[in-house]
Amino acid sequence: MDHYDSHHTNDYMQPEDDWDRDLLLDPAWEKQQRKTFTAWCNSHLRKAGTQIENIDEDFRDGLKLMLLLEVISGERLPKPERGKMRVHRISNVNKALDFIASKGVKLVSIGAEEIVDGNAKMTLGMIWTIILRFAIQDISVEETSAKEGLLLWCQRKTAPYKNVNIQNFHISWKDGLGFCALIHRHRPELIDYGKLRKDDPYTNLNTAFDVAERFLDIPKMLDAEDIVGTARPDEKAIMTYVSSFYHAFSGAQKAETAANRICKVLAVNQENEQLMEDYERLASDLLEWIRRTIPWLENRAPENTMQAMQQKLEDFRDYRRLHKPPKVQEKCQLEINFNTLQTKLRLSNRPAFMPSEGKMVSDINNAWGGLEQAEKGYEEWLLNEIRRLERLDHLAEKFRQKASIHESWTDGKESMLQKRDYETASLSEIKALLKKHEAFESDLAAHQDRVEQIAAIAQELNELDYYDSPSVNARCQKICDQWDNLGVLTQKRREALEKTEKLLETIDQLYLEYAKRAAPFNNWMEGAMEDLQDTFIVHTIEEIQGLSMAHEQFKATLPEADKERQAILGIHNEVMKIAQTYHVNMSGTNPYSTISTQEINSKWDRVSLIHFLYFSIQSYAFY
């Protein structure tokens, strides 16, 4: 993928930069490109027994796109996803785009999401990039390549023809004579060029298109109406179609060149011995290089850091760019030398050349196949490892961020849950604390997802063999343990708050009951004291007897009154018992009554004393 640097890469990538500057396709050009690119794709896909109908729809799942790349490159792509979901489609298209990028192609503003979404501009741009890389880039004519090489080839082939002046890939082809000249130059029996007229472009274009399709196996990629009816035909569509002529005719030209080369070699019979020595030497050197290189390519020792893996990738690129190309040339030269030598020997009626054991062309091809296999596996491993480390770095950073956020949130929460502020709180304060605790429980539940996410990320990091898993696991375990403890402390605090609330509510009810009974009892005692202290002036025995009877009636109420007093004191004692048993802070007073037990006992003692004095005076008066 790194062979294509220097002027080759810059030349064939230049039109792609032009593509990005065409923010919106001209409708006429888009129509031409759709037809041309679709036909070009189908000319290759039919080799795999399939085709496309709608170029921006049929590549959306990535399956036919991957198949197209396999057909035109002769290489296997990663196994595609067969799911129907968007994520599967994006994965397949990304595999195709990664493969294109691996061939040294810089994909400008073309993303998998746009292809999956059926973005016409991006899809056409992607296909144009593929055409440039696999159909145009490798064209080489007289030290020019790609677009310039193709243009020079057209100029050289059409130079002898009148009314043909190829200067570009748009208006120079509008009259159709350029296409007809290319066909006539290579297959003069297919077209009667002398009968063609420059002022009849429709006939010229349709003649060229039909002949190319019938006899040259070049599918019809353009419409005469589109070319003639457009002020400037689409350059990319014309280049794509013309490149098909180049590839159709270049095979025969290459075969002719090879034959000439063999003839020249055969003319120099004295070089046979030198060729044999050169073959043995090149074969030995090449096999030794392969023997040393394969173990390096088979080394799958992973690295812990992205920087280290990037260095391995860079070393691999250097191998592809600097070390392997000369060996490819040596291998090709070795095969050429071997074939040339055998031909010369055969024509000279000499015995065929038999290389030393293990140095046959088949032996070298087998060794080279092993090298290619190891290289492919190493590249796949490198890319997978880099993706794994990228994923790991992303996950590790995500883990750290989420863990930090969670730890910041939990800071001080355990101390807060262990506070015993409820022990000195009033009932209203307890209810407020319960409301606050309920809000905290809701907040705690909301953070459950984050804890689960942290645990899931830690698990994934372990599954992906993250080098710093021990520290991740320790931090995750600490978070989980703290989370469990928070849950326990939260439940304990709720139970304590609810228990305290229940106790304070019981005390509150007792306070209210106390107030309801203490108030009338206090009023009764104050009334009794007033009555007993009131001065009576009596003159007759009957008045004394009446007063004595009233006092007897009051005396009869004292046992019941004492029971009521004991009951009121019992309520107070119950409150004290609850407070003492459950350690309830009783710093406050009864909110419903200002009458204390001391006041009740004091007044009761006074009532008893006054009653006793009154009874003594009454008895004296009676006697």
Side-chain angles (χ1 to χ4, degrees):
M1 62 182 174
D2 292 313
H3 297 285
Y4 311 105
D5 52 1
S6 73
H7 67 281
H8 295 291
T9 302
N10 295 334
D11 288 343
Y12 89 82
M13 285 306 297
Q14 185 60 40
E16 182 173 315
D17 296 335
D18 293 340
W19 178 281
D20 284 333
R21 290 194 291 270
D22 299 336
L23 295 179
L24 293 173
L25 287 173
D26 179 89
W29 289 6
E30 181 178 353
K31 178 182 178 183
Q32 292 176 31
Q33 288 180 14
R34 279 178 177 275
K35 179 177 180 62
T36 303
F37 292 179
T38 299
W40 185 86
C41 291
N42 285 334
S43 71
H44 295 283
L45 286 173
R46 67 185 180 183
K47 299 173 186 176
T50 186
Q51 65 177 13
I52 61 170
E53 300 293 337
N54 188 327
I55 196 167
D56 51 344
E57 286 291 330
D58 295 349
F59 286 139
R60 289 179 65 183
D61 61 3
L63 295 176
K64 289 188 177 180
L65 179 59
M66 295 178 71
L67 182 60
L68 173 65
L69 291 171
E70 288 186 342
V71 171
I72 62 179
S73 69
E75 298 180 26
R76 294 291 296 176
L77 270 70
K79 185 177 180 181
E81 302 285 347
R82 293 295 177 180
K84 302 296 183 181
M85 297 175 64
R86 176 179 174 83
V87 65
H88 298 135
R89 297 184 173 200
I90 291 176
S91 175
N92 289 337
V93 175
N94 269 326
K95 290 175 183 177
L97 296 180
D98 289 344
F99 178 80
I100 296 171
S102 75
K103 297 303 178 184
V105 179
K106 180 182 178 183
L107 294 168
V108 180
S109 303
I110 299 176
E113 290 79 5
E114 288 84 355
I115 305 303
V116 172
D117 292 337
N119 186 307
K121 174 184 179 297
M122 292 300 176
T123 302
L124 292 174
M126 175 188 67
I127 297 302
W128 173 240
T129 300
I130 294 172
I131 293 171
L132 279 174
R133 170 59 184 85
F134 293 99
I136 297 176
Q137 175 201 338
D138 294 332
I139 294 174
S140 179
V141 178
E142 298 181 11
E143 298 184 357
T144 63
S145 60
K147 177 182 177 181
E148 291 74 15
L150 182 60
L151 183 61
L152 181 59
W153 180 79
C154 294
Q155 291 170 342
R156 292 287 185 270
K157 296 299 181 182
T158 60
Y161 293 84
K162 65 179 181 179
N163 295 327
V164 178
N165 183 20
I166 304 300
Q167 297 298 322
N168 51 54
F169 287 106
H170 38 84
I171 59 176
S172 293
W173 303 85
K174 284 192 67 173
D175 57 14
L177 291 177
F179 295 112
C180 293
L182 286 177
I183 296 173
H184 187 267
R185 179 66 181 270
H186 296 89
R187 297 287 298 276
E189 77 278 8
L190 298 180
I191 290 181
D192 188 351
Y193 190 85
K195 292 184 178 181
L196 301 176
R197 303 198 322 271
K198 186 173 181 64
D199 59 355
D200 189 7
Y202 286 100
T203 299
N204 300 338
L205 289 167
N206 286 323
T207 298
F209 297 165
D210 293 341
V211 168
E213 187 171 28
R214 290 178 58 194
F215 299 103
L216 304 177
D217 198 27
I218 299 175
K220 185 177 181 181
M221 300 183 185
L222 302 168
D223 286 326
E225 293 77 11
D226 294 337
I227 296 177
V228 176
T230 305
R232 172 174 165 161
D234 180 59
E235 183 181 58
K236 299 174 180 63
I238 298 293
M239 282 181 66
T240 301
Y241 189 49
V242 171
S243 70
S244 298
F245 285 88
Y246 173 87
H247 291 293
F249 295 133
S250 63
Q253 183 179 358
K254 290 179 181 177
E256 180 181 355
T257 303
N260 292 334
R261 185 182 300 115
I262 291 174
C263 290
K264 291 179 182 179
V265 173
L266 289 174
V268 192
N269 191 52
Q270 63 268 25
E271 296 179 359
N272 286 351
E273 292 299 325
Q274 185 63 45
L275 286 174
M276 292 180 188
E277 293 178 7
D278 290 344
Y279 178 89
E280 289 284 339
R281 177 178 53 80
L282 287 173
S284 297
D285 292 346
L286 186 58
L287 287 170
E288 176 61 22
W289 179 81
I290 293 173
R291 185 190 65 79
R292 293 196 314 269
T293 304
I294 286 180
W296 174 68
L297 292 172
E298 289 178 341
N299 180 14
R300 301 291 190 272
E303 300 291 346
N304 290 333
T305 65
M306 179 62 72
Q307 183 179 2
M309 284 307 299
Q310 288 288 1
Q311 184 58 52
K312 282 196 171 186
L313 181 61
E314 190 60 34
D315 293 342
F316 181 68
R317 286 174 174 167
D318 287 342
Y319 156 79
R320 279 272 186 87
R321 184 173 59 247
L322 303 175
H323 305 299
K324 185 181 178 184
K327 299 303 177 182
V328 174
Q329 292 179 348
E330 288 179 17
K331 179 177 179 294
C332 292
Q333 189 61 48
L334 196 67
E335 293 175 355
I336 292 171
N337 290 352
F338 181 84
N339 292 331
T340 301
L341 178 59
Q342 298 293 44
T343 301
K344 289 177 64 177
L345 291 173
R346 185 175 65 254
L347 292 176
S348 302
N349 292 322
R350 294 182 59 186
F353 170 59
M354 285 296 295
S356 303
E357 184 178 356
K359 296 180 182 178
M360 292 288 293
V361 171
S362 59
D363 296 326
I364 294 172
N365 285 335
N366 289 336
W368 191 266
L371 176 75
E372 295 279 4
Q373 188 65 31
E375 180 181 318
K376 181 181 178 182
Y378 188 68
E379 181 181 24
E380 292 175 353
W381 175 78
L382 276 177
L383 295 176
N384 288 334
E385 276 297 297
I386 287 175
R387 283 193 288 268
R388 183 181 71 86
L389 287 176
E390 287 175 345
R391 173 69 175 160
L392 283 173
D393 286 349
H394 171 73
L395 283 174
E397 180 60 26
K398 188 176 180 181
F399 174 84
R400 286 190 289 268
Q401 288 179 356
K402 288 186 175 291
S404 296
I405 292 172
H406 177 78
E407 289 165 347
S408 176
W409 180 83
T410 57
D411 185 37
K413 295 294 189 296
E414 289 174 300
S415 298
M416 180 269 290
L417 291 171
Q418 290 174 321
K419 288 172 63 177
R420 305 180 70 87
D421 49 352
Y422 52 83
E423 292 182 347
T424 59
S426 64
L427 180 59
S428 60
E429 289 171 339
I430 284 293
K431 291 184 179 296
L433 287 175
L434 269 171
K435 292 291 184 183
K436 183 178 179 181
H437 190 71
E438 289 172 0
F440 172 76
E441 287 177 325
S442 298
D443 195 15
L444 186 71
H447 280 75
Q448 177 69 32
D449 285 345
R450 179 176 287 117
V451 176
E452 293 175 355
Q453 290 171 7
I454 291 171
I457 294 172
Q459 178 64 27
E460 190 169 357
L461 287 170
N462 278 276
E463 292 172 355
L464 293 174
D465 295 329
Y466 182 51
Y467 76 96
D468 200 21
S469 289
S471 65
V472 170
N473 293 337
R475 191 172 184 182
C476 180
Q477 188 61 49
K478 182 179 179 182
I479 288 172
C480 292
D481 291 344
Q482 185 188 40
W483 184 256
D484 292 339
N485 189 43
L486 282 176
V488 172
L489 292 176
T490 300
Q491 182 61 29
K492 285 184 177 180
R493 181 169 175 82
R494 167 168 279 282
E495 291 173 356
L497 288 171
E498 290 176 344
K499 177 181 177 182
T500 303
E501 180 189 34
K502 185 175 180 181
L503 290 172
L504 291 180
E505 285 178 343
T506 300
I507 291 173
D508 189 71
Q509 289 295 324
L510 290 171
Y511 272 149
L512 182 60
E513 178 67 20
Y514 176 91
K516 287 180 178 180
R517 298 177 71 167
F521 185 70
N522 184 61
N523 290 337
W524 176 84
M525 288 192 297
E526 289 180 347
M529 285 189 291
E530 288 180 10
D531 291 343
L532 291 172
Q533 291 175 344
D534 195 8
T535 303
F536 294 96
I537 300 175
V538 293
H539 301 284
T540 64
I541 292 299
E542 289 78 8
E543 288 176 343
I544 292 174
Q545 289 176 340
L547 188 60
S548 176
M549 186 178 297
H551 181 72
E552 288 297 328
Q553 291 174 353
F554 170 75
K555 181 180 178 181
T557 62
L558 287 178
E560 285 299 323
D562 191 42
K563 286 183 180 180
E564 180 65 12
R565 181 181 68 87
Q566 293 295 336
I568 292 170
L569 295 177
I571 293 172
H572 175 77
N573 292 335
E574 182 67 20
V575 170
M576 293 298 103
K577 181 180 179 182
I578 290 173
Q580 184 177 5
T581 302
Y582 297 103
H583 309 289
V584 178
N585 190 306
M586 296 299 297
S587 58
T589 58
N590 190 330
Y592 305 110
S593 176
T594 58
I595 304 170
S596 65
T597 55
Q598 291 83 359
E599 186 177 352
I600 289 174
N601 285 329
S602 175
K603 288 184 178 181
W604 177 259
D605 291 340
R606 290 178 61 192
V607 168
S608 299
L609 177 60
I610 295 171
H611 160 66
F612 174 76
L613 293 174
Y614 183 86
F615 177 75
S616 299
I617 294 170
Q618 183 186 28
S619 298
Y620 177 78
F622 185 76
Y623 289 105

